Amino acid sequence: MILFIGEFVRGAIILSLLPLYGLDYWVVGVAVTAHYTTDTVSKLGVGYLVDRFSSRLMVTSGLTLAIVSICLMYYFPIPWLIIVASALLGLGISPVWIACLAMVKDSQRATQMGFLYTLWLAGMGGGPVVINFFLRFGHALSFAILTALLGLGLLFSMRIRRVDSRNLRVIPIRRQFLMLVQKVRRMRLLLPGMILQTLGASMLLPVLPDFATLEIGLDPSQISFLLMAGGICAILALIPMGRLSDRFGKQPFLVIGFCMLGVALLFLAKTETIEFALLWAVVLGIAYSTMLPAWNALLSYYVPENQEGVGWGLLNTVEGIGIALGPSIGGALGSLYAVALPIEIAAFIFLFIGLFYLLVPIDRITMTKRRA
């Protein structure tokens, strides 16, 4: 519930309130960049603190910081403070993800990953849709609703089960870092996918709205409909796909999911009608749900025991490299060449990842490393 609330608020702020808050485009762009930068960079440090102290303390502190950030946005709508507040929001929500990932059980990795990402998609997608309705009545009501939701999450965080630190093996941070470096070396075959998939996905962010408007001729309501269709299909399929990958193995779902993403994006880049755009939006949603639980379950095998927070923080930081680079690359390609070019390049990136892992025995390597 806390994860859903955090992602709901994040989606409402980043995808709806900030762009419609009467700010210059550069302020919104820098604020969004600051948000995801702090969210990504802080995960490693937050992971260490989650392991060193407790999920309850870190989640409670993070949600308190998120409430402060929203108050800053509303009461002090000054450009530089908006940017600072957006960065603080990313820092505040970061511990929720790490705490959830650290609780994933070994026997149901893909299933539980699918459940977590279902909540993530529902929150990120539902936040902008719901808050757009309340924006008709003014910004004050919208900010009040989001603040109240974070307050509810803060109450929920008080019920997070305490873990007795005396039962945990405390390892010096220097030794933890060396152990994690060894883990990264062992998982080097997964590193291309970690960086390239987030790079390809984030390349789409600056160009997809203009592509839908200029190339397909969709209006904003039709774009929202397509996004909802793809998102609903992804949400409905995430948990079943997670269970199937737990039963039949991760690698087939990884290969199929990445290849489906690539093929769907290639056809989407050539689409000129809303009917075919809807079809490929649905395929993209299903492809995403096919790949995601299996992928994160594979990553979880490389998280050191009793260092789950640090381990997930490191993995999320590595994946964040692609998120940091993708939007600027996609925007530059769309401006200099054609709006469809970043979509086509992203498609080839996903196809490359899928074919790469078709040739690499991921499941066998993962289980070998896990026993080691």
Side-chain angles (χ1 to χ4, degrees):
M1 286 302 299
I2 298 172
L3 176 63
F4 173 78
I5 289 172
E7 295 304 324
F8 185 97
V9 171
R10 188 207 300 270
I13 293 288
I14 298 301
L15 302 178
S16 185
L17 275 176
L18 281 183
L20 299 176
Y21 205 32
L23 301 168
D24 291 336
Y25 291 127
W26 72 268
V27 177
V28 176
V30 174
V32 173
T33 298
H35 174 85
Y36 283 108
T37 299
T38 55
D39 178 69
T40 298
V41 173
S42 66
K43 278 186 167 67
L44 184 56
V46 168
Y48 171 74
L49 294 175
V50 166
D51 287 337
R52 184 68 178 83
F53 297 100
S54 71
S55 296
R56 177 175 176 177
L57 175 62
M58 295 309 302
V59 171
T60 301
S61 301
L63 292 177
T64 302
L65 184 61
I67 292 174
V68 171
S69 72
I70 289 184
C71 292
L72 285 175
M73 288 182 187
Y74 178 70
Y75 289 108
F76 303 98
I78 305 169
W80 71 270
L81 268 179
I82 291 288
I83 294 170
V84 171
S86 182
L88 292 177
L89 181 65
L91 187 62
I93 296 178
S94 179
V96 181
W97 256 113
I98 300 300
C100 288
L101 292 171
M103 294 178 182
V104 171
K105 295 180 180 179
D106 183 74
S107 59
Q108 296 178 310
R109 290 174 184 266
T111 301
Q112 293 184 353
M113 288 295 183
F115 179 69
L116 289 179
Y117 276 88
T118 298
L119 294 175
W120 171 67
L121 282 173
M124 281 294 290
V129 173
V130 173
I131 214 64
N132 279 341
F133 172 78
F134 290 103
L135 277 174
R136 301 176 184 177
F137 306 102
H139 288 90
L141 177 60
S142 300
F143 276 102
I145 290 172
L146 297 179
T147 304
L149 283 174
L150 287 176
L152 181 62
L154 194 59
L155 292 177
F156 286 147
S157 70
M158 303 295 182
R159 301 193 60 181
I160 295 177
R161 180 170 54 87
R162 289 182 177 271
V163 177
D164 189 353
S165 61
R166 292 174 299 179
N167 295 329
L168 297 178
R169 180 165 54 99
V170 179
I171 302 174
I173 188 170
R174 176 180 173 81
R175 186 181 171 195
Q176 288 189 30
F177 179 77
L178 293 175
M179 293 171 65
L180 290 171
V181 168
Q182 293 176 352
K183 287 284 184 178
V184 170
R185 290 176 180 172
R186 291 175 180 173
M187 63 184 294
R188 59 187 177 274
L189 291 176
L190 293 179
L191 291 178
M194 293 176 67
I195 298 175
L196 288 178
Q197 68 162 303
T198 53
L199 176 69
S202 60
M203 282 176 60
L204 305 176
L205 296 178
V207 299
L208 267 183
D210 279 346
F211 172 79
T213 302
L214 300 175
E215 301 295 323
I216 307 179
L218 304 181
D219 59 40
S221 62
Q222 291 172 322
I223 295 174
S224 298
F225 174 73
L226 292 183
L227 292 174
M228 289 179 60
I232 290 173
C233 289
I235 290 172
L236 293 176
L238 267 174
I239 294 178
M241 288 298 181
R243 289 175 177 171
L244 289 173
S245 64
D246 277 334
R247 181 175 180 181
F248 296 107
K250 312 298 184 297
Q251 187 164 3
F253 290 85
L254 204 65
V255 173
I256 293 171
F258 278 122
C259 288
M260 284 178 63
L261 285 171
V263 171
L265 284 175
L266 279 179
F267 279 100
L268 181 64
K270 305 298 182 183
T271 296
E272 297 181 353
T273 65
I274 186 173
E275 292 80 11
F276 280 105
L278 176 61
L279 169 64
W280 296 118
V282 170
V283 174
L284 284 170
I286 297 173
Y288 189 71
S289 64
T290 301
M291 172 273 296
L292 196 63
W295 174 256
N296 284 284
L298 286 172
L299 291 183
S300 68
Y301 286 120
Y302 288 88
V303 175
E305 187 179 357
N306 293 329
Q307 300 173 67
E308 286 85 357
V310 177
W312 279 113
L314 176 66
L315 297 180
N316 279 265
T317 301
V318 172
E319 289 184 321
I321 296 173
I323 298 175
L325 297 176
S328 57
I329 295 175
L333 290 173
S335 298
L336 295 174
Y337 299 101
V339 70
L341 182 60
I343 301 175
E344 294 171 346
I345 293 177
F348 285 113
I349 289 175
F350 287 126
L351 286 172
F352 170 78
I353 299 172
L355 294 176
F356 178 80
Y357 290 123
L358 177 63
L359 304 175
V360 177
I362 291 294
D363 278 337
R364 189 176 66 191
I365 291 176
T366 300
M367 296 308 295
T368 300
K369 299 302 181 185
R370 185 181 169 196
R371 288 193 295 268

